[in-house]
Amino acid sequence: QAKQAGRNTHRTFQHDWHHQSSAQFELDAQLQGAAARGEFELHYQPLVDARTGTLRSFEALLRWHNPTLGAVSPAQFIPVAETRGLIVPIGEWVLRAACRQLRAWHAAGYTHARVSVNVSALQFALPDFVRSVEATLRTHGVPGHALAVELTESTLIQDLEASNAKLAALHALGVRTALDDFGTGYSSLSYLQRLHVNTLKIDRSFMQAIDGRGGALVRAITHLAHDLDLRVVVEGVETAQQLRTVQALGGDTVQGYHVSRPLPVAQAEAFLRAARPALEPWPDP
Ligand code: C2E
Ligand code: MG
Ligand code: MG
Ligand code: MG
């Protein structure tokens, strides 16, 4: 009986493994050329002032719709793209698409439109990364201050000196930089003073525990960041109660489903229209 059960378990495991690996294989195969087939789209999630709700910027988030696989989440395909090096051309596509959209928004009179893009470690590590950002901005006629890049701690600490040189070169172009998913790495606090970013994005796992220890951590990180002249974005604000807590803790910018999900262009424009740029200019860094 036990032997039988054991064999069944084993067979199930093997079946799952095979199933998973062929799914990975299919995903991998479909990912090649997805950009060329027009299967990618950027959605834009608003980041707003925690007190007034005024739009500060959007985060561009990649969406992939494949005829065979349907809609695939970036949590699934970005890690695959990273292992295969495909993330570099995909990242370049994202940068171009974001700049094209910024150009269109600026030309339509939304001169306050700003977008941040996520940049993977492999892309950031390219020696000519900053030059390619500069070239893409120039090609699309977009000022550097309209763009921000989001990088994770693990990306930046691979080579601290080289990273800071690139961050400085981005800042010289006016491009802002953010440390994404802050608090999920291993040595966040010790690196804070050594990584020259403009903004910290506190990972949404802290929001999920906001009424307990998460709240104390968000407060401490926010105060620390402000003392270091960093902006703070609190990610993953899903409820009005969470927003009130973030406001009470001194958070300056929020992003999350309570404000808005990531939106297609036409819907994102409603946020641009409501932002009244003449009354709420983007504050200097
Ligand atoms: P991220 O950069 O930390 O982006 C935030 C993620 O949290 C997004 O997931 C967003 O939809 C989700 N989110 C926002 N507000 C809430 C909320 O209130 N509750 C919950 N539960 N989730 C919320 P998404 O779009 O699925 O992207 C997942 C990750 O995939 C991103 O995390 C980023 O690491 C990566 N990614 C997405 N687009 C790109 C891209 O263009 N390039 C690269 N390299 N990575 C990307
Ligand atoms: Mg991000
Ligand atoms: Mg994030
Ligand atoms: Mg994240």
Side-chain angles (χ1 to χ4, degrees):
Q1 187 83 47
K3 215 172 175 181
Q4 182 79 22
R7 240 195 330 267
N8 283 341
T9 308
H10 183 66
R11 203 175 296 132
T12 306
F13 172 75
Q14 271 205 333
H15 175 76
D16 281 345
W17 180 83
H18 177 256
H19 180 77
Q20 231 188 25
S21 83
S22 68
Q24 286 302 99
F25 181 83
E26 180 66 15
L27 195 149
D28 196 59
Q30 292 291 337
L31 203 48
Q32 319 249 1
R37 294 191 301 271
E39 295 172 6
F40 286 144
E41 185 189 357
L42 291 183
H43 281 193
Y44 295 89
Q45 187 175 32
L47 279 69
V48 306
D49 183 290
R51 285 169 306 111
T52 64
T54 305
L55 179 75
R56 286 192 185 281
S57 63
F58 293 109
E59 178 173 4
L61 292 158
L62 188 55
R63 296 294 176 255
W64 179 26
H65 199 278
N66 178 268
T68 310
L69 301 170
V72 189
S73 137
Q76 270 184 284
F77 72 81
I78 294 286
V80 175
E82 277 170 338
T83 60
R84 296 277 285 95
L86 267 175
I87 194 64
V88 170
I90 291 175
E92 285 164 354
W93 184 92
V94 168
L95 189 61
R96 281 197 306 275
C99 285
R100 205 180 306 124
Q101 188 57 59
L102 275 167
R103 176 65 196 159
W105 276 336
H106 291 175
Y110 303 124
T111 52
H112 57 306
R114 273 151 177 78
V115 169
S116 66
V117 296
N118 292 283
V119 172
S120 283
L122 272 180
Q123 193 185 356
F124 187 70
L126 296 175
D128 63 350
F129 171 71
V130 177
R131 243 173 299 150
S132 88
V133 170
E134 185 178 16
T136 308
L137 287 167
R138 198 182 323 108
T139 303
H140 293 87
V142 171
H145 67 257
L147 185 73
V149 297
E150 300 193 1
L151 302 149
T152 63
E153 181 182 279
S154 61
T155 296
L156 291 170
I157 66 176
Q158 284 177 17
D159 183 344
L160 213 57
E161 255 180 65
S163 293
N164 276 327
K166 284 178 186 174
L167 294 173
L170 288 169
H171 296 160
L173 298 174
V175 175
R176 302 172 61 83
T177 57
L179 191 51
D180 203 358
D181 303 338
F182 181 75
T184 58
Y186 288 106
S187 33
S188 307
L189 290 183
S190 72
Y191 283 109
L192 254 195
Q193 54 158 343
R194 297 162 69 193
L195 289 172
H196 303 152
V197 293
N198 301 124
T199 301
L200 284 193
K201 299 190 73 174
I202 301 180
D203 191 72
R204 70 167 185 265
S205 55
F206 289 89
M207 276 318 305
Q208 284 152 10
I210 191 80
D211 295 323
R213 285 165 175 262
L217 284 166
V218 169
R219 187 205 315 269
I221 294 168
T222 301
H223 287 179
L224 180 64
H226 286 163
D227 284 347
L228 294 169
D229 282 327
L230 297 170
R231 274 179 174 283
V232 176
V233 177
V234 181
E235 300 189 282
V237 175
E238 293 184 352
T239 66
Q241 175 61 46
Q242 288 178 339
L243 176 59
R244 281 191 293 275
T245 307
V246 171
Q247 288 167 335
L249 296 175
D252 50 60
T253 306
V254 294
Q255 174 180 6
Y257 295 167
H258 177 64
V259 178
S260 171
R261 298 211 167 230
L263 301 169
V265 171
Q267 284 167 262
E269 281 171 2
F271 276 83
L272 285 170
R273 278 193 293 277
R276 294 179 302 168
L279 298 177
E280 302 265 359
W282 183 257
D284 286 330

